[in-house]
Amino acid sequence: MATKHIIWDWNGTLLDDRWFCIETMNGVLRRRDMKEMTEKWFLENFTFPVKDYYIKLGFDFDKEPFSVSGSEFIHDYKQHHHEPNLHSQSVKVLEFFKDRGLTQSLLSAASQDMLDDILQYHDIRKYFMKIIGQDNHYAYGKEIVGKAWVDELHYGPHEVLFIGDTPHDYEVACYIGADCVLVANGHVSIARLKQTGALVFNNLDGVVKWFENQAKT
């Protein structure tokens, strides 16, 4: 198998924060007497850009700017962002790729300061040669910074593998020229992920088994 480098998404992919995102957003909705969401609704409707997800939730940006509700969610998330755990397989899969000599990096829609803090908290900073977050709170810009990073790596086709949990991660992978696999243990239902045409696994263990099989061929 030609893969030399893994680019990871963070929220939902390595961090098990689906429940936390739902709980935090429902708090924002309750303060406005808006209808709260269920996990099923979240899996079928969470999307990028996140502004579109807010519209689906019922926010009216003519009455209240996105910057208000968006900043409120991020503030509430950051207040307790150490509460979500890593997925049970996250450290194991990071070790798996490290032991096979692959380098790894992380590309996230989360802000850089929060990423730096939480990776240190979970003691997994050591696995990544580069941590790429955003300079805003609204999940913009993964494509541009990701493309710059891939160009810096100087790897060819099929040498970079992007692992994420949303259709947007697949879009980013296509934009930056990386192969892509998706896991359905995050923010989007498995049915929606399969619609991308990417390989989809139930969890990170599935990624490991697939990679081992690919390496044998």
Side-chain angles (χ1 to χ4, degrees), residues 21-61:
C21 289
I22 294 169
E23 184 177 288
T24 303
M25 180 56 82
N26 279 340
V28 176
L29 293 168
R30 278 194 299 274
R31 292 183 206 115
R32 292 161 173 80
D33 294 320
M34 294 171 65
K35 182 180 178 181
E36 296 181 34
M37 73 175 119
T38 63
E39 180 179 72
K40 181 179 180 181
W41 188 95
F42 179 78
L43 289 170
E44 294 302 330
N45 290 278
F46 180 74
T47 192
F48 287 92
V50 293
K51 191 172 183 179
D52 292 345
Y53 156 64
Y54 278 62
I55 292 172
K56 289 183 177 184
L57 283 164
F59 287 92
D60 184 345
F61 299 135

Side-chain angles (χ1 to χ4, degrees), residues 100-208:
R100 279 149 186 80
L102 279 72
T103 54
Q104 301 177 80
S105 58
L106 191 146
L107 173 62
S108 175
S111 63
Q112 188 72 49
D113 60 341
M114 184 163 61
L115 274 180
D116 291 338
D117 177 74
I118 200 166
L119 290 172
Q120 191 71 30
Y121 176 80
H122 288 292
D123 193 28
I124 58 171
R125 176 65 183 83
K126 60 191 175 187
Y127 292 106
F128 305 107
M129 63 186 296
K130 192 174 183 70
I131 307 295
I132 309 168
Q134 308 302 315
D135 60 1
N136 62 79
H137 296 307
Y138 308 118
Y140 299 141
K142 280 175 75 171
E143 298 97 327
I144 303 303
V145 292
K147 184 67 166 64
W149 173 231
V150 169
D151 289 346
E152 186 179 332
L153 287 169
H154 297 300
Y155 284 138
H158 310 299
E159 292 184 332
V160 178
L161 176 66
F162 191 105
I163 303 175
D165 73 311
T166 69
H168 181 59
D169 288 326
Y170 176 73
E171 293 168 356
V172 172
C174 292
Y175 183 86
I176 68 179
D179 290 339
C180 183
V181 297
L182 300 173
V183 287
N185 58 358
H187 294 180
V188 172
S189 70
I190 191 168
R192 290 177 64 203
L193 294 180
K194 287 182 175 179
Q195 288 174 5
T196 65
L199 282 173
V200 180
F201 301 98
N202 289 325
N203 51 44
L204 294 172
D205 278 343
V207 176
V208 169

Side-chain angles (χ1 to χ4, degrees), residues 72-89:
E72 186 176 326
F73 171 83
I74 293 298
H75 173 269
D76 293 351
Y77 188 104
K78 290 178 78 170
Q79 287 287 101
H80 304 281
H81 73 276
H82 292 152
E83 291 185 15
N85 294 316
L86 299 174
H87 283 294
S88 60
Q89 311 101 342

Side-chain angles (χ1 to χ4, degrees), residues 1-3 96 161 179 181 199 201 206-217:
M1 193 170 183
T3 306
F96 171 83
L161 176 66
D179 290 339
V181 297
L199 282 173
F201 301 98
V207 176
V208 169
K209 292 173 184 175
W210 165 77
F211 195 89
E212 286 180 320
N213 289 334
Q214 291 293 109
K216 294 174 184 176
T217 59

